[in-house]
Amino acid sequence: AVEGSHTHVSTADARVLPKGTAHITDVGMTGPIDSVLGVKKEIIINRWLNEDKSRFEWPKTGTVQFSSVLVEVDSSGLAKSIKQMIINTEVG
């Protein structure tokens, strides 16, 4: 399997390639979804507007997301299927 991730929004291109390789360009983020890549929005906005170098903090409450894929392989190790899995839950 070739699974790319840059912790952004999951791409909708999961597929099995002709010779049995499962592929997805970006699996997606695991972390707080009401954030900027997991960091409190206010910190990132202030950093952009005022060149503030405050420490990164993550939101302690709200919805968090777990992004992953499930790859089914056959006995020879070739991918049979790839399925995106995105689970959201509330914390705090």
Side-chain angles (χ1 to χ4, degrees):
V2 177
E3 302 166 0
S5 183
H6 193 58
T7 65
H8 291 278
V9 175
S10 180
T11 53
D13 62 346
R15 65 187 180 124
V16 176
L17 300 173
K19 293 187 178 180
T21 300
H23 172 269
I24 185 169
T25 301
D26 194 334
V27 173
M29 181 184 81
T30 295
I33 62 172
D34 191 22
S35 67
V36 176
L37 299 179
V39 178
K40 287 183 177 178
K41 296 179 295 188
E42 301 79 15
I43 292 173
I44 299 301
I45 293 168
N46 195 36
R47 188 173 268 238
W48 276 96
L49 295 176
N50 303 310
E51 298 184 26
D52 181 16
K53 301 297 183 193
S54 296
R55 291 184 63 130
F56 287 166
E57 295 178 39
W58 59 91
K60 304 217 182 352
T61 61
T63 305
V64 293
Q65 182 175 82
F66 173 72
S67 300
S68 63
V69 293
L70 177 64
V71 178
E72 180 184 8
V73 297
D74 64 21
S75 60
S76 65
L78 298 178
K80 292 173 58 176
S81 65
I82 181 170
K83 178 182 176 185
Q84 290 177 268
M85 299 174 52
I86 299 174
I87 300 167
N88 292 329
T89 191
E90 295 298 315
V91 296

